[in-house]
């Protein structure tokens, strides 16, 4: 099967992989995922009944129009340790469909480092709010003490 990418690159997908045909719901999304996967791992992903169901469920959750773009984002841009160690399987694409859709739409990926930084920032803001509350309470108490 020959597929021409939007940038004009022609991809030759081996026939023995038996990917879903052009008339199927999963075709565009699967082809986008498979090409991105092959580009990253230099191996074509496995297609079977389980994977087909996961791709169809993923499409149902995010919509057929954006599913191919999200699948490519997932393979090319998501660098989370667990996802990379698992080699970007379709089951995790499907499992976290809305997360990948949001990351694709915003252009921001979440890493464990970024999540820790956000958590630390929130903790620091909370401590600062507490300190400001104590300071304001102390000033109010001093003002009520009848200072000259």
């Amino acid at each position: 099967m020959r597929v021409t990418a939007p940038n004009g690159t022609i991809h030759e997908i081996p026939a023995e992989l038996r990917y879903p045909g052009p008339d199927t719901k999963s075709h565009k999304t699967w082809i986008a995922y498979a090409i991105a996967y092959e580009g990253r791992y230099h191996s074509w992903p496995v297609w079977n009944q389980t994977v087909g169901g996961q791709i169809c469920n993923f499409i149902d959750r995010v919509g057929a129009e954006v599913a191919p773009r999200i699948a490519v984002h997932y393979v090319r841009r998501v660098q989370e340790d667990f996802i990379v160690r698992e080699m970007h399987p379709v089951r995790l694409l499907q499992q976290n469909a809305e997360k990948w859709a949001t990351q694709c739409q915003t252009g921001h990926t979440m890493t464990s480092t970024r999540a820790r930084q956000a958590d630390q920032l929130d903790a620091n803001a909370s401590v600062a709010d507490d300190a400001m509350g104590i300071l304001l309470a102390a000033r109010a108490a001093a003002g009520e003490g009848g200072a000259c």
Side-chain angles (χ1 to χ4, degrees), residues 33-55:
Y33 170 85
I35 290 170
Y37 189 95
E38 197 280 332
R40 182 172 187 137
Y41 295 108
H42 307 289
S43 176
W44 293 100
V46 173
W47 173 263
N48 57 39
Q49 187 175 1
T50 300
V51 170
Q54 291 167 340
I55 284 286

Side-chain angles (χ1 to χ4, degrees), residues 5-101:
N7 67 2
T9 303
I10 297 173
H11 298 276
E12 191 79 36
I13 300 175
E16 68 270 9
L17 297 177
R18 301 185 192 276
Y19 287 166
D23 297 332
T24 62
K25 172 183 177 177
S26 58
H27 178 75
K28 287 182 182 179
T29 300
W30 177 256
I31 295 300
Y33 170 85
I35 290 170
Y37 189 95
E38 197 280 332
R40 182 172 187 137
Y41 295 108
H42 307 289
S43 176
W44 293 100
V46 173
W47 173 263
N48 57 39
Q49 187 175 1
T50 300
V51 170
Q54 291 167 340
I55 284 286
C56 287
N57 180 270
F58 168 71
I59 293 166
D60 290 343
R61 291 172 67 180
V62 300
E65 288 295 313
V66 295
R69 189 172 72 233
I70 295 167
V72 169
H73 164 83
Y74 167 72
V75 175
R76 288 186 182 165
R77 309 270 303 170
V78 172
Q79 301 297 331
E80 294 179 20
D81 290 343
F82 180 71
I83 303 298
V84 173
R85 277 194 317 269
E86 292 290 310
M87 299 178 75
H88 294 84
V90 173
R91 71 180 161 75
L92 296 177
L93 170 66
Q94 177 255 319
Q95 182 179 326
N96 295 303
E98 294 81 7
K99 174 182 176 179
W100 311 132

